[in-house]
mmCIF file of all heavy atoms in Angstrom:
data_model
loop_
_atom_site.group_PDB
_atom_site.id
_atom_site.type_symbol
_atom_site.label_atom_id
_atom_site.label_comp_id
_atom_site.label_asym_id
_atom_site.label_seq_id
_atom_site.Cartn_x
_atom_site.Cartn_y
_atom_site.Cartn_z
ATOM 1 N N ILE Y 246 4.401 -7.350 -7.183
ATOM 2 C CA ILE Y 246 5.113 -7.058 -5.918
ATOM 3 C C ILE Y 246 4.645 -8.008 -4.834
ATOM 4 O O ILE Y 246 5.435 -8.532 -4.064
ATOM 5 C CB ILE Y 246 4.893 -5.599 -5.513
ATOM 6 C CG1 ILE Y 246 5.545 -4.640 -6.502
ATOM 7 C CG2 ILE Y 246 5.437 -5.354 -4.104
ATOM 8 C CD1 ILE Y 246 5.229 -3.192 -6.249
ATOM 9 N N LEU Y 247 3.341 -8.218 -4.775
ATOM 10 C CA LEU Y 247 2.747 -9.103 -3.760
ATOM 11 C C LEU Y 247 3.292 -10.518 -3.895
ATOM 12 O O LEU Y 247 3.735 -11.134 -2.885
ATOM 13 C CB LEU Y 247 1.240 -9.105 -3.906
ATOM 14 C CG LEU Y 247 0.449 -10.143 -3.121
ATOM 15 C CD1 LEU Y 247 0.641 -9.917 -1.620
ATOM 16 C CD2 LEU Y 247 -1.026 -10.095 -3.480
ATOM 17 N N VAL Y 248 3.310 -11.041 -5.084
ATOM 18 C CA VAL Y 248 3.780 -12.400 -5.345
ATOM 19 C C VAL Y 248 5.256 -12.529 -4.987
ATOM 20 O O VAL Y 248 5.658 -13.503 -4.326
ATOM 21 C CB VAL Y 248 3.560 -12.809 -6.792
ATOM 22 C CG1 VAL Y 248 4.251 -14.117 -7.137
ATOM 23 C CG2 VAL Y 248 2.054 -12.944 -7.116
ATOM 24 N N LEU Y 249 6.041 -11.550 -5.366
ATOM 25 C CA LEU Y 249 7.488 -11.597 -5.054
ATOM 26 C C LEU Y 249 7.739 -11.471 -3.564
ATOM 27 O O LEU Y 249 8.623 -12.150 -3.014
ATOM 28 C CB LEU Y 249 8.223 -10.486 -5.816
ATOM 29 C CG LEU Y 249 8.318 -10.659 -7.327
ATOM 30 C CD1 LEU Y 249 8.937 -9.421 -7.978
ATOM 31 C CD2 LEU Y 249 9.141 -11.896 -7.670
ATOM 32 N N ASN Y 250 6.995 -10.621 -2.871
ATOM 33 C CA ASN Y 250 7.145 -10.459 -1.422
ATOM 34 C C ASN Y 250 6.806 -11.814 -0.728
ATOM 35 O O ASN Y 250 7.524 -12.219 0.219
ATOM 36 C CB ASN Y 250 6.221 -9.375 -0.880
ATOM 37 C CG ASN Y 250 6.796 -7.981 -1.091
ATOM 38 O OD1 ASN Y 250 8.018 -7.811 -1.178
ATOM 39 N ND2 ASN Y 250 5.940 -7.002 -1.177
ATOM 40 N N ILE Y 251 5.722 -12.465 -1.140
ATOM 41 C CA ILE Y 251 5.348 -13.731 -0.541
ATOM 42 C C ILE Y 251 6.409 -14.812 -0.824
ATOM 43 O O ILE Y 251 6.816 -15.552 0.069
ATOM 44 C CB ILE Y 251 3.964 -14.186 -1.066
ATOM 45 C CG1 ILE Y 251 2.879 -13.247 -0.553
ATOM 46 C CG2 ILE Y 251 3.666 -15.617 -0.629
ATOM 47 C CD1 ILE Y 251 1.501 -13.526 -1.107
ATOM 48 N N TYR Y 252 6.897 -14.829 -2.094
ATOM 49 C CA TYR Y 252 7.891 -15.841 -2.459
ATOM 50 C C TYR Y 252 9.155 -15.718 -1.627
ATOM 51 O O TYR Y 252 9.641 -16.698 -1.068
ATOM 52 C CB TYR Y 252 8.217 -15.689 -3.946
ATOM 53 C CG TYR Y 252 9.431 -16.492 -4.385
ATOM 54 C CD1 TYR Y 252 9.349 -17.867 -4.571
ATOM 55 C CD2 TYR Y 252 10.654 -15.872 -4.620
ATOM 56 C CE1 TYR Y 252 10.424 -18.606 -4.951
ATOM 57 C CE2 TYR Y 252 11.768 -16.601 -4.994
ATOM 58 C CZ TYR Y 252 11.638 -17.955 -5.172
ATOM 59 O OH TYR Y 252 12.778 -18.685 -5.545
ATOM 60 N N TYR Y 253 9.686 -14.484 -1.520
ATOM 61 C CA TYR Y 253 10.952 -14.301 -0.799
ATOM 62 C C TYR Y 253 10.754 -14.451 0.716
ATOM 63 O O TYR Y 253 11.668 -14.855 1.435
ATOM 64 C CB TYR Y 253 11.550 -12.931 -1.104
ATOM 65 C CG TYR Y 253 12.293 -12.941 -2.460
ATOM 66 C CD1 TYR Y 253 11.764 -12.343 -3.564
ATOM 67 C CD2 TYR Y 253 13.513 -13.604 -2.570
ATOM 68 C CE1 TYR Y 253 12.442 -12.350 -4.806
ATOM 69 C CE2 TYR Y 253 14.201 -13.626 -3.773
ATOM 70 C CZ TYR Y 253 13.647 -13.003 -4.891
ATOM 71 O OH TYR Y 253 14.295 -13.032 -6.102
ATOM 72 N N SER Y 254 9.560 -14.111 1.221
ATOM 73 C CA SER Y 254 9.293 -14.311 2.645
ATOM 74 C C SER Y 254 9.370 -15.785 3.026
ATOM 75 O O SER Y 254 10.001 -16.152 4.006
ATOM 76 C CB SER Y 254 7.914 -13.731 3.002
ATOM 77 O OG SER Y 254 7.895 -12.328 2.876
ATOM 78 N N TYR Y 255 8.743 -16.627 2.187
ATOM 79 C CA TYR Y 255 8.767 -18.079 2.474
ATOM 80 C C TYR Y 255 10.143 -18.659 2.202
ATOM 81 O O TYR Y 255 10.544 -19.636 2.826
ATOM 82 C CB TYR Y 255 7.702 -18.784 1.631
ATOM 83 C CG TYR Y 255 6.323 -18.701 2.229
ATOM 84 C CD1 TYR Y 255 5.434 -17.710 1.874
ATOM 85 C CD2 TYR Y 255 5.902 -19.600 3.226
ATOM 86 C CE1 TYR Y 255 4.143 -17.620 2.438
ATOM 87 C CE2 TYR Y 255 4.655 -19.533 3.778
ATOM 88 C CZ TYR Y 255 3.782 -18.546 3.399
ATOM 89 O OH TYR Y 255 2.538 -18.466 3.967
ATOM 90 N N ARG Y 256 10.847 -18.067 1.259
ATOM 91 C CA ARG Y 256 12.187 -18.567 0.954
ATOM 92 C C ARG Y 256 13.173 -18.262 2.100
ATOM 93 O O ARG Y 256 14.024 -19.097 2.442
ATOM 94 C CB ARG Y 256 12.696 -17.914 -0.329
ATOM 95 C CG ARG Y 256 14.054 -18.428 -0.799
ATOM 96 C CD ARG Y 256 14.451 -17.816 -2.141
ATOM 97 N NE ARG Y 256 15.800 -18.202 -2.520
ATOM 98 C CZ ARG Y 256 16.390 -17.807 -3.633
ATOM 99 N NH1 ARG Y 256 15.741 -17.036 -4.490
ATOM 100 N NH2 ARG Y 256 17.628 -18.185 -3.925
ATOM 101 N N LEU Y 257 13.074 -17.054 2.668
ATOM 102 C CA LEU Y 257 13.951 -16.651 3.748
ATOM 103 C C LEU Y 257 13.512 -17.176 5.102
ATOM 104 O O LEU Y 257 14.310 -17.361 6.006
ATOM 105 C CB LEU Y 257 14.036 -15.131 3.797
ATOM 106 C CG LEU Y 257 14.681 -14.447 2.596
ATOM 107 C CD1 LEU Y 257 14.463 -12.944 2.662
ATOM 108 C CD2 LEU Y 257 16.170 -14.769 2.530
ATOM 109 N N LEU Y 258 12.161 -17.422 5.237
ATOM 110 C CA LEU Y 258 11.649 -17.889 6.487
ATOM 111 C C LEU Y 258 10.620 -19.012 6.186
ATOM 112 O O LEU Y 258 9.408 -18.830 6.301
ATOM 113 C CB LEU Y 258 10.953 -16.728 7.228
ATOM 114 C CG LEU Y 258 10.914 -16.763 8.751
ATOM 115 C CD1 LEU Y 258 12.314 -16.761 9.329
ATOM 116 C CD2 LEU Y 258 10.111 -15.575 9.284
ATOM 117 N N PRO Y 259 11.115 -20.207 5.841
ATOM 118 C CA PRO Y 259 10.247 -21.288 5.405
ATOM 119 C C PRO Y 259 9.307 -21.819 6.521
ATOM 120 O O PRO Y 259 8.383 -22.566 6.227
ATOM 121 C CB PRO Y 259 11.225 -22.389 4.970
ATOM 122 C CG PRO Y 259 12.510 -22.043 5.622
ATOM 123 C CD PRO Y 259 12.536 -20.558 5.732
ATOM 124 N N GLN Y 260 9.551 -21.385 7.780
ATOM 125 C CA GLN Y 260 8.712 -21.843 8.886
ATOM 126 C C GLN Y 260 7.402 -21.114 8.944
ATOM 127 O O GLN Y 260 6.562 -21.415 9.815
ATOM 128 C CB GLN Y 260 9.481 -21.656 10.206
ATOM 129 C CG GLN Y 260 10.825 -22.340 10.268
ATOM 130 C CD GLN Y 260 11.965 -21.378 9.878
ATOM 131 O OE1 GLN Y 260 11.762 -20.473 9.097
ATOM 132 N NE2 GLN Y 260 13.120 -21.608 10.440
ATOM 133 N N ILE Y 261 7.173 -20.124 8.046
ATOM 134 C CA ILE Y 261 5.914 -19.376 8.085
ATOM 135 C C ILE Y 261 4.746 -20.333 7.828
ATOM 136 O O ILE Y 261 4.766 -21.126 6.913
ATOM 137 C CB ILE Y 261 5.917 -18.263 7.014
ATOM 138 C CG1 ILE Y 261 6.965 -17.200 7.378
ATOM 139 C CG2 ILE Y 261 4.527 -17.631 6.890
ATOM 140 C CD1 ILE Y 261 7.109 -16.093 6.326
ATOM 141 N N GLN Y 262 3.723 -20.196 8.657
ATOM 142 C CA GLN Y 262 2.506 -20.994 8.507
ATOM 143 C C GLN Y 262 1.282 -20.090 8.562
ATOM 144 O O GLN Y 262 1.303 -19.058 9.249
ATOM 145 C CB GLN Y 262 2.424 -22.086 9.585
ATOM 146 C CG GLN Y 262 3.533 -23.111 9.487
ATOM 147 C CD GLN Y 262 3.400 -24.190 10.547
ATOM 148 O OE1 GLN Y 262 2.288 -24.526 10.954
ATOM 149 N NE2 GLN Y 262 4.510 -24.741 11.000
ATOM 150 N N PHE Y 263 0.225 -20.504 7.880
ATOM 151 C CA PHE Y 263 -0.976 -19.702 7.850
ATOM 152 C C PHE Y 263 -2.154 -20.515 8.338
ATOM 153 O O PHE Y 263 -2.319 -21.673 7.946
ATOM 154 C CB PHE Y 263 -1.252 -19.176 6.435
ATOM 155 C CG PHE Y 263 -2.416 -18.266 6.353
ATOM 156 C CD1 PHE Y 263 -2.330 -16.964 6.816
ATOM 157 C CD2 PHE Y 263 -3.639 -18.676 5.850
ATOM 158 C CE1 PHE Y 263 -3.414 -16.093 6.762
ATOM 159 C CE2 PHE Y 263 -4.737 -17.850 5.802
ATOM 160 C CZ PHE Y 263 -4.609 -16.538 6.229
ATOM 161 N N GLY Y 264 -2.975 -19.956 9.247
ATOM 162 C CA GLY Y 264 -4.138 -20.649 9.767
ATOM 163 C C GLY Y 264 -4.689 -19.954 10.977
ATOM 164 O O GLY Y 264 -3.989 -19.219 11.694
#
Side-chain angles (χ1 to χ4, degrees):
I246 294 173
L247 170 63
V248 170
L249 290 174
N250 280 334
I251 292 175
Y252 169 75
Y253 280 106
S254 292
Y255 278 94
R256 183 176 175 180
L257 295 170
L258 208 62
Q260 304 95 330
I261 293 176
Q262 296 182 30
F263 185 75

